């Protein structure tokens, strides 16, 4: 496994391999790997001749007062895990190469980033789509793999790729959960043992929603009120949003007649977690 720190060197590597007819799969990450990341890498391994994993804690997707400085980092451990998973290249560009002092361009996907996390983190998705667009233009992958836990991010990236005619296949991978249902996230590291227990209310609330949906409930108001009451019963949890939206437009809907995502964000103590499930009437036929 090679570690590449410079943009130029990464471009030279990609140009050479593409010139020889090889395909590249890219897994963009901010590092501090957990088994969810490794599952994305395994998919990347299956898709491309070469597997590149970027590790870049992207400052432009963090708002003021968020955890950019504190975001967990452990390059040595990440390199070891990546090597064991069959990664060919770790790409870790320095911040001042990605965003030199005269940097001016950003990619803003307008509609699908307005709702959900876009309300409480207004500049977040602009930072995400900008850095992902830059990574695509540097690494030139044929495939890029993302987790479905960040559902809105995945929808925004698909929209960007379609709007800008970027020649890459976006692959979404299912949420990787602990045995008790907690969705894996690098931010779970911030949770105290009590908060870790409290965080399970999120999965419990989603399972209750699924149960109601399977029993035939189609009114979002009814489902959302049950979900919220389960989360509100947990003292350490504070809801940011719980919504049911169309999977493509991410607009709120009132009655579930099409494929929808039930997405939520909540603070557990000081840690903001997100999770989601798909509710699709055609799964119940
Ligand atoms: O999902 C993430 O880890 C980040 O948002 C991404 C896609 C690597 C962009 O910085």
């Amino acid at each position: 496994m090679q570690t590449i720190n410079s943009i130029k060197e990464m471009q030279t590597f990609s140009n050479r391999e593409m010139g020889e007819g090889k395909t590249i799969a890219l897994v963009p990450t901010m590092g501090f790997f957990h088994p969810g990341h490794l599952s994305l890498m395994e998919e990347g391994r299956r898709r491309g001749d070469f597997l590149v994993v970027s590790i870049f804690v992207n400052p432009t997707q963090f708002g003021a007062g968020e955890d950019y400085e504190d975001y967990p980092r452990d390059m040595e451990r990440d390199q070891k895990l990546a090597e064991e998973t069959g990664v060919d290249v770790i790409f870790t560009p320095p911040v001042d190469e990605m965003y030199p002092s005269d940097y001016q361009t950003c990619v803003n996907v307008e509609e699908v980033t307005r709702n959900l996390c876009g309300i409480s983190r207004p500049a977040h998705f602009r930072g995400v789509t900008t850095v992902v667009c830059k990574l695509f233009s540097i690494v030139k992958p044929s495939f890029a793999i993302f987790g479905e836990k960040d559902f809105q991010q995945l929808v925004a990236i698909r929209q960007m790729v379609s709007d800008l005619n970027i020649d890459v296949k976006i692959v979404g991978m299912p949420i990787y959960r602990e045995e008790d249902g907690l969705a894996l996230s690098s931010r779970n590291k911030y949770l105290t043992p009590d908060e870790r227990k409290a965080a399970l209310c999120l999965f419990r609330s989603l399972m209750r929603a699924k149960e109601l949906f399977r029993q035939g409930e189609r009114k979002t108001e009814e489902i959302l009120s049950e979900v919220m009451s389960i989360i509100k019963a947990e003292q350490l949890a504070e809801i940011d949003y719980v919504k049911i939206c169309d999977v493509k437009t991410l607009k709120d809907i009132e009655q579930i007649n099409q494929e929808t995502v039930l997405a939520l964000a909540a603070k557990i103590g000081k840690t903001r977690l997100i999770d989601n499930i798909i509710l699709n009437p055609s799964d119940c036929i």
Side-chain angles (χ1 to χ4, degrees), residues 22-281:
K22 298 281 198 297
T23 58
I24 295 172
L26 171 67
V27 179
T29 80
M30 298 206 296
F32 207 71
F33 296 153
H34 52 63
H37 291 114
L38 305 185
S39 75
L40 305 185
M41 293 176 206
E42 275 151 18
E43 183 61 20
R45 179 73 289 153
R46 285 190 283 275
R47 298 265 178 172
D49 297 318
F50 276 93
L51 173 57
V52 176
V53 173
S54 60
I55 300 181
F56 181 67
V57 183
N58 174 35
T60 65
Q61 69 187 75
F62 290 81
E66 292 187 354
D67 57 344
Y68 173 64
E69 299 295 343
D70 297 336
Y71 195 84
R73 294 157 167 94
D74 190 341
M75 188 57 80
E76 221 172 278
R77 179 175 159 276
D78 283 352
Q79 278 175 316
K80 192 164 168 288
L81 287 170
E83 183 142 36
E84 286 165 10
T85 314
V87 171
D88 296 299
V89 174
I90 292 264
F91 175 47
T92 60
V95 174
D96 59 359
E97 261 201 46
M98 288 294 269
Y99 302 112
S101 56
D102 62 345
Y103 190 85
Q104 301 183 31
T105 304
C106 67
V107 178
N108 194 28
V109 178
E110 302 272 347
E111 294 290 333
V112 297
T113 62
R114 283 199 217 288
N115 199 0
L116 304 171
C117 289
I119 297 172
S120 45
R121 304 186 75 193
H124 171 68
F125 290 110
R126 191 180 58 204
V128 170
T129 44
T130 299
V131 80
V132 171
C133 188
K134 282 171 70 66
L135 289 168
F136 287 171
S137 110
I138 296 165
V139 179
K140 302 177 193 75
S142 301
F143 306 94
I145 331 293
F146 296 87
E148 287 172 354
K149 182 169 77 68
D150 296 284
F151 193 85
Q152 190 172 16
Q153 165 172 290
L154 182 56
V155 173
I157 290 167
R158 285 193 202 282
Q159 186 69 43
M160 170 184 80
V161 162
S162 162
D163 290 350
L164 300 183
N165 310 100
I166 303 176
D167 195 8
V168 57
K169 180 168 173 49
I170 303 299
V171 181
M173 291 294 288
I175 298 178
Y176 203 102
R177 297 183 182 280
E178 304 265 18
E179 276 205 355
D180 58 9
L182 184 70
L184 290 196
S185 160
S186 302
R187 291 192 168 97
N188 290 353
K189 178 188 188 301
Y190 300 144
L191 300 170
T192 64
D194 280 348
E195 289 168 350
R196 169 69 183 72
K197 251 187 244 157
L200 282 180
C201 69
L202 305 182
F203 182 65
R204 241 190 355 263
S205 74
L206 292 176
M207 290 304 96
R208 175 68 183 137
K210 194 155 233 171
E211 190 184 0
L212 288 170
F213 183 70
R214 284 209 185 107
Q215 287 165 359
E217 185 58 75
R218 294 291 180 268
K219 284 201 200 78
T220 60
E221 204 185 322
E222 299 297 325
I223 297 177
L224 294 179
S225 98
E226 284 246 6
V227 168
M228 287 195 280
S229 73
I230 292 172
I231 302 175
K232 280 181 183 157
E234 180 48 68
Q235 277 192 348
L236 294 174
E238 190 193 326
I239 295 175
D240 176 358
Y241 64 78
V242 182
K243 288 181 173 227
I244 297 180
C245 301
D246 177 85
V247 279
K248 290 209 178 77
T249 63
L250 298 188
K251 291 204 166 117
D252 296 350
I253 57 150
E254 285 178 6
Q255 183 81 17
I256 309 177
N257 298 322
Q258 71 260 54
E259 190 176 7
T260 59
V261 58
L262 192 175
L264 59 79
K267 274 199 168 166
I268 307 291
K270 290 201 173 99
T271 306
R272 188 175 183 280
L273 299 179
I274 56 174
D275 204 342
N276 69 76
I277 50 167
I278 298 295
L279 299 176
N280 189 353

